[in-house]
Amino acid sequence: MSQFTYMNDIANICGLDGDLTRGPMPRWQKKLETSSNNSSFLNNSKLSVSYNNVCSGNSAAASHKTPNKKTPGKKTPSGKSSGRKTTPGSKERSKTPTGGDRFIPSRVNSNFELGHYAIAKEHQKEAEEGDSAPDNAKRVASMGEQKKLLTEAIQGATGEGGSQRILSYHVKAPSAPDSHQNPLKVVYSTKTPISTKSGTRYIPHAPERILDAPDIINDYYLNLMDWSQSNVVTIALGNCIYLWNASNGKTDQLLEYDEGEHACSLSWIQGGNILAVGNNSGAVELWDCTVKKRLRVMSSHENRVGVLAWNSHIVTSGSRNGIIVNHDVRTRNHCVNRLNGHTQEVCGLRWSPDGRHLASGGNDNLVNVWPVVAGSHHSADQPLYTFSEHHAAVRALAWCPWAPNILASGGGTADRCIKFWNVNNGNLMDSVDSKSQVCALLFSSTYKELISAHGYVNNQLTIWKYPSMSRQAELTGHTARVLQMAMSPDGSTVISASADETLRLWNCFAPDPNQAKKGKASSSVISQSVLRASIR
């Protein structure tokens, strides 16, 4: 029988899947012993309490006695085949009958080494000072210092590398980009219309329609596109001028110049179908686009006419030699007066909404404001103000429709700034660096915003909230600089012409439906539904 005993001992030593047979009494046995009134009954009774053996079907566990606290060397009631022998000093790992319910947190991101270093460093400092055997009062003070050090280590320990929180993430979450818009903001704007809150309305970042514009002249000083009140877009491509009806999408050719001649500027009269065309020979032509007939030719310039602007029956033209001419289209002698306020080419002309001021910008980096002559619609011979704060050619000009005394001007590549002027007193109100060439400016009265067209480097359209000049959105897609920009009659859509030979329509100022129901559209303005149906 000795060989069988030897084999059983070998099996017990090599067994790795059984319970530990030595160690302190498990917690569940302690509770069982405490709850029993008769401790002798607990010590003398034979209980089969090992749930591991019950699950494994080992009935031999009932023949063992429950071990006592004072006898750590006795075996647990797990039976012969369920445990392995351990040394008397080893600790027991036993499972509770109900299973584990203790939460074990992940401390991967916690820097406990830094906290331990801070505490150990303080202890070392005290030992070096000779306070190796403190009395009771010193021991209490030392415990308070330890708690303080532990708190500092947990909340904001300071090591050699600087201040660092232990119970925190080592790397902070990246910040959102500038163009990010939180869609959850609409949850908190139920009482306030979306259109009245800055940065909360939806602005489409993709164009609704893209049109081809082959052979468009890539010249910063020319103005080759305009949008009429009858919802017709005119654009000059090469030596031809085309009309595109935004209501039905129909395209017609208005005229074609001979070889070597081309249009340099286009401008619609307010509320009509008369188109003014300035060409490279210095003439200003008037065309009736309804019947495609030229009405008259007005020759007053020696160089090309790069910009035109209407004020009632007065059409103002600016030429390459810096001369500005006011033409009265009703009379035979159309030249009313000539303005000599620029020394280089005039590339920007805008009449104010109330018709009281004319703004001109030139390649000489100047902005001139001309007052209107009392009782007429043409400007005076001398400028009211001359602004010289720009450092590049000023082509982009725009008057604020709800504040006619506010003028916005944008500079070229060497300047890149958008400036706001008060023409009542001649003061510079604000200046914003747009970081790129400013080619065109338009105000939107629907949302009190400003949209600017840019060239190098991003060739984008930027929407600004006025007067805070915070960026609302950037509309990208053009691969070359934006040369022209015009707004639809209802003010909801902007069309941009680029040197990449494309026209893009952006529905960036669509009115709020709640506000649209309150107001009534003017009879001269095409309805929004007709415009949307044409560009989709």
Side-chain angles (χ1 to χ4, degrees), residues 25 30 73 75 78 96 103 143 159 184 238 251 269 274 279 300 310 360 391 413 416 485 491 511 513 522 528:
M25 182 182 297
K30 295 179 182 179
K75 296 182 179 181
S78 59
T96 60
F103 172 72
M143 291 176 62
L184 295 179
T251 303
I269 192 173
I274 304 301
N279 57 30
S300 299
W310 283 90
S360 63
H391 302 286
T413 306
R416 304 176 301 177
M485 188 170 58
S522 176
Q528 179 189 359

Side-chain angles (χ1 to χ4, degrees), residues 385-505:
Y385 298 108
T386 298
F387 306 126
S388 59
E389 280 76 2
H390 284 287
H391 302 286
V394 182
R395 178 181 182 271
L397 295 172
W399 292 92
C400 183
W402 60 91
N405 61 314
I406 303 300
L407 172 67
S409 61
T413 306
D415 184 78
R416 304 176 301 177
C417 290
I418 302 175
K419 299 182 183 296
F420 298 90
W421 313 90
N422 188 342
V423 297
N424 288 343
N425 51 27
N427 293 335
L428 175 63
M429 300 174 58
D430 193 9
S431 179
V432 179
D433 187 2
S434 64
K435 308 297 183 182
S436 59
Q437 179 188 42
V438 184
C439 299
L441 293 172
L442 289 174
F443 275 98
S444 171
S445 57
T446 305
Y447 296 99
K448 302 296 189 294
E449 293 175 343
L450 176 73
I451 183 170
S452 57
H454 297 273
Y456 311 110
V457 181
N458 296 325
N459 309 311
Q460 83 282 6
L461 277 73
T462 304
I463 300 177
W464 312 79
K465 191 67 179 179
Y466 183 81
S468 62
M469 292 304 289
S470 60
R471 294 177 186 262
Q472 300 296 97
E474 288 193 356
L475 311 179
T476 58
H478 285 294
T479 57
R481 65 177 176 178
V482 182
L483 298 173
Q484 316 289 328
M485 188 170 58
M487 185 173 290
S488 63
D490 62 353
S492 64
T493 306
V494 172
I495 185 171
S496 58
S498 173
D500 59 5
E501 298 186 346
T502 61
L503 303 178
R504 297 173 186 260
L505 289 95

